[in-house]
Amino acid sequence: MNIKDAYTIIIIVTWLVSFLISLFLYLIFKNKYKKLKLYLNLKKDNINFFRESTILNEIEIKFELPRDESCYLYNNEILLYNYKNKNINKNFKNNENIELYITNKRVLLLIQDIYIKYDLKQISNYFLDQKYINGEWIPTIVLTMNKEKYILINNSYLIYFTLLKIMEKENING
């Protein structure tokens, strides 16, 4: 056996190993990406629906706001994850007690008995995203405020378009 035969065998073995790895990865992830394709079509429809149907209506909440402030969204059915402070999952494992308020001036999070508030001007970025959780694609919204990054799960489209409309109404660049 000469050196050309050895190189040929090495190339063929490398190609076969690469092919088998690719085939194995394809078989593992094909269902995930089929679901992603279906989810993205549904997401496009949901975005169009919520863009048209989200209307800012003032709502009454359980505490008093300053005179020039109005609440437009209240949600007590969200899951919250914080990228910067990894301990939030340990401190607030019971995500059932999280309340979100969006007013024309700020975003308020009530986590158990702790208030976290951010002025709308402190929101540097917010966008719709999706996460693959327990075999399903879930819509999420990512909020970046004061270098803290939160992921909100549940009613993501409504939260996103409410924020978008408030930012446009108040002329705030988020």
Side-chain angles (χ1 to χ4, degrees), residues 2-41:
N2 63 17
I3 196 133
K4 286 185 180 181
D5 293 337
Y7 283 139
T8 305
I9 291 172
I10 291 172
I11 289 172
I12 290 173
V13 168
T14 304
W15 181 83
L16 273 173
V17 168
S18 299
F19 177 75
L20 291 174
I21 290 172
S22 299
L23 181 64
F24 180 69
L25 290 173
Y26 167 76
L27 292 174
I28 289 174
F29 293 111
K30 76 177 185 179
N31 288 334
K32 180 178 180 180
Y33 291 108
K34 280 183 183 178
K35 289 180 184 178
L36 177 62
K37 188 174 181 180
L38 294 172
Y39 170 78
L40 290 176
N41 289 332

Side-chain angles (χ1 to χ4, degrees), residues 85-99:
N85 184 3
K86 298 292 184 187
N87 294 333
I88 198 164
N89 292 331
K90 293 177 185 169
N91 294 337
F92 307 114
K93 278 187 179 177
N94 186 2
N95 279 327
E96 298 164 3
N97 295 330
I98 297 176
E99 296 178 15

Side-chain angles (χ1 to χ4, degrees), residues 15-174:
W15 181 83
L16 273 173
V17 168
S18 299
F19 177 75
L20 291 174
I21 290 172
S22 299
L23 181 64
F24 180 69
L25 290 173
Y26 167 76
L27 292 174
I28 289 174
F29 293 111
K30 76 177 185 179
N31 288 334
K32 180 178 180 180
Y33 291 108
K34 280 183 183 178
K35 289 180 184 178
L36 177 62
K37 188 174 181 180
L38 294 172
Y39 170 78
L40 290 176
N41 289 332
L42 180 64
K43 180 179 179 178
K44 188 166 74 170
D45 294 340
N46 282 334
I47 286 173
N48 290 333
F49 173 76
F50 278 95
R51 180 180 287 127
E52 299 295 322
S53 67
T54 302
I55 299 171
L56 295 179
N57 292 323
E58 289 185 33
I59 57 172
E60 293 291 323
I61 55 176
K62 62 184 175 185
F63 55 90
E64 191 173 328
L65 293 170
R67 238 182 240 176
D68 61 340
E69 191 168 2
S70 303
C71 185
Y72 292 106
L73 182 98
Y74 166 74
N75 190 336
N76 63 350
E77 298 175 353
I78 63 168
L79 298 174
L80 174 73
Y81 298 96
N82 184 327
Y83 272 119
K84 187 173 181 178
N85 184 3
K86 298 292 184 187
N87 294 333
I88 198 164
N89 292 331
K90 293 177 185 169
N91 294 337
F92 307 114
K93 278 187 179 177
N94 186 2
N95 279 327
E96 298 164 3
N97 295 330
I98 297 176
E99 296 178 15
L100 170 72
Y101 300 90
I102 299 178
T103 72
N104 60 330
K105 302 286 184 189
R106 65 191 89 172
V107 174
L108 299 159
L109 291 165
L110 175 60
I111 304 171
Q112 293 172 352
D113 290 330
I114 301 169
Y115 276 101
I116 301 172
K117 64 182 178 177
Y118 294 99
D119 288 340
L120 290 181
K121 293 176 183 176
Q122 293 175 316
I123 297 175
S124 58
N125 196 5
Y126 60 101
F127 58 91
L128 288 170
D129 198 9
Q130 63 270 346
K131 299 289 179 215
Y132 193 67
I133 302 171
N134 296 332
E136 293 297 322
W137 288 98
I138 307 287
T140 63
I141 182 170
V142 178
L143 286 171
T144 307
M145 302 177 279
N146 285 348
K147 298 182 182 180
E148 290 203 36
K149 194 174 189 181
Y150 294 98
I151 296 178
L152 304 172
I153 300 174
N154 202 358
N155 293 327
S156 302
Y157 299 110
L158 182 60
I159 294 168
Y160 175 80
F161 284 105
T162 300
L163 266 174
L164 182 69
K165 292 195 182 220
I166 290 172
M167 297 284 214
E168 288 173 353
K169 181 180 174 184
E170 299 293 323
N171 290 324
I172 300 171
N173 296 326

